[in-house]
Amino acid sequence: MTATDRVRAAIADRRELVNDAIAEQLPVEHPERLPAGGEVDVLTAAVAIEVIQSFTLIHDDIMDDDDLRRGVPAVHREYDLETAILAGDTLYSKAFEYMLDTGAPAGRSVRALDELATTCTEICEGQALDVDFEGREAVTTGQYLEMVEFKTAVLYAAASAIPAILLGADDETVEALHGYGLDVGRAFQIQDDLLDLTVTSDALGKQRGSDLVEGKQTIITLHARDHGVDVDGLVGDDPTAAEIDAAVERLEAAGSVDHARELAEELVESGKRRLEVLPQCEAHGLLGDVADFLVERGY
Amino acid sequence: MTATDRVRAAIADRRELVNDAIAEQLPVEHPERLPAGGEVDVLTAAVAIEVIQSFTLIHDDIMDDDDLRRGVPAVHREYDLETAILAGDTLYSKAFEYMLDTGAPAGRSVRALDELATTCTEICEGQALDVDFEGREAVTTGQYLEMVEFKTAVLYAAASAIPAILLGADDETVEALHGYGLDVGRAFQIQDDLLDLTVTSDALGKQRGSDLVEGKQTIITLHARDHGVDVDGLVGDDPTAAEIDAAVERLEAAGSVDHARELAEELVESGKRRLEVLPQCEAHGLLGDVADFLVERGY
């Protein structure tokens, strides 16, 4: 059984549980459940993270003027701009309501809320950098990785660290999980950039090579530019599959695809090493599998 | 000295303090000030409320497609849509960061955060109702007042109640201040609707009678409609000052202006009565003055 198989099995096991938790939470306007005696409801914290992710996707789709999300029309297309802004804004505060509703002692809740609020601010800073980079050529790999850290990886870090905070883990454990999230979150984004070039349009749910067409900076194009490839001239506005194949071959020849793959794998290994301070158990193993899954996944 | 004079004097006294607090906070990306021993920094909570207000105005201006805010271009006009969405989203989480940074004990911080998060959700619900009402004729006064409660008054309630929560006041005090905020917040909105009809365009910073031109439902137009006035036919798309004068005379003749004025004054008196459980002191007097100011103000 590969890491991907184990992660998919774990997701299948938990999917119903998580969906039930989201369904149970979302219609509740003002949760009034009292903290159960000493028990912490980590699943409600997971709902909070998922709801933040949804809010950012809804607002990002407006900013990027994207038509589709997960194969269905984006909220601002299915409804309108007002509805999409408001849906995002509502989910934003609902996430904080959920994070306050885990039944954790107040001191831990405050730490978890602080982590969530800081994370949201960083996600906005990352999105601002991303918007800014679209109009610039001279982006360094370091700047790109910082943008990815803020836009994407900090939410992985929050998702990894917050359950530990709520359950009262020591600082070493919380920091290890936070660092794990930052590493594997960056690896996830680099893998996303790779998949955009290497997976068929059908499997992606969007056009293959769309990053090249849109002139989006990725770790692959940044490496290629540094190694003399005329990235802007690789494809036209409406390239054929053969033209994209040729462009990918140029990027492979420049070593840019391998460079990205190696960087993603290094980040996954780094993330797994950070877990070494945690006791060996099923959850520890699953976190390792999740890290592997993020770079093994084909879509 | 009238209530308005006293409130203006109190604001003048405190403006520098509040501006300093905002200036000190806003450049700080990750506040790391430690809670001072037992002291609660209520001013930082005030900054959080003000920042939430700014976030809602920036996003509302996008939704209402307004060009001006406080006499200067709205953020989405001065910059662009992406910047305005992101500016609002960033202020949103910054507000939660500030509210976590008052130095209050964790239990009180959790209550304050809960109040803030619930308030934000309600503001979004109120804005959604407001957008919805624009396309509808059959809005009742009760529905309108509910919209105003959610869109506007809950932030007055949060601003009134949260300092008491952070300072460890008893439940009776917190609830009295919360109720006071809801009452005077609704009075504020009704006064805003009145000013739109009765104050010159220069003093308003926007066209007098703009609510009539835009077909916006207010407590005045709802009353007039209920009393046989053809509200939709009162003014055309680009009315002269004389046409607006004539429209206002029609609304006055139907008793709609007096109705709104009486309702605002009743709400102010109700708000002040709620404060009776609080000890007599300078702050108590000032809250009464603030309530009077909200309906006495000329712009």
Side-chain angles (χ1 to χ4, degrees), chain B residues 194-265:
Chain B
L194 281 163
L195 293 177
D196 184 73
L197 294 176
T198 54
V199 173
T200 63
S201 301
D202 275 355
L204 278 177
K206 60 176 185 173
Q207 188 195 28
R208 181 164 72 101
S210 65
D211 289 348
L212 291 178
V213 175
E214 291 165 17
K216 211 181 132 209
Q217 311 269 18
T218 70
I219 203 74
I220 303 154
T221 60
L222 289 171
H223 178 278
R225 209 185 294 276
D226 281 352
H227 290 76
V229 177
D230 171 22
V231 172
D232 301 318
L234 277 177
V235 295
D237 278 348
D238 191 15
T240 63
E243 282 167 334
I244 291 178
D245 283 341
V248 173
E249 272 168 36
R250 291 281 311 276
L251 295 169
E252 276 171 350
S256 307
V257 173
D258 281 344
H259 169 72
R261 203 161 270 146
E262 282 158 22
L263 190 54
E265 280 162 15

Side-chain angles (χ1 to χ4, degrees), chain A residues 19-32:
Chain A
N19 283 346
D20 284 353
I22 291 177
E24 189 197 324
Q25 292 281 339
L26 282 182
V28 180
E29 286 310 324
H30 308 292
E32 282 170 14

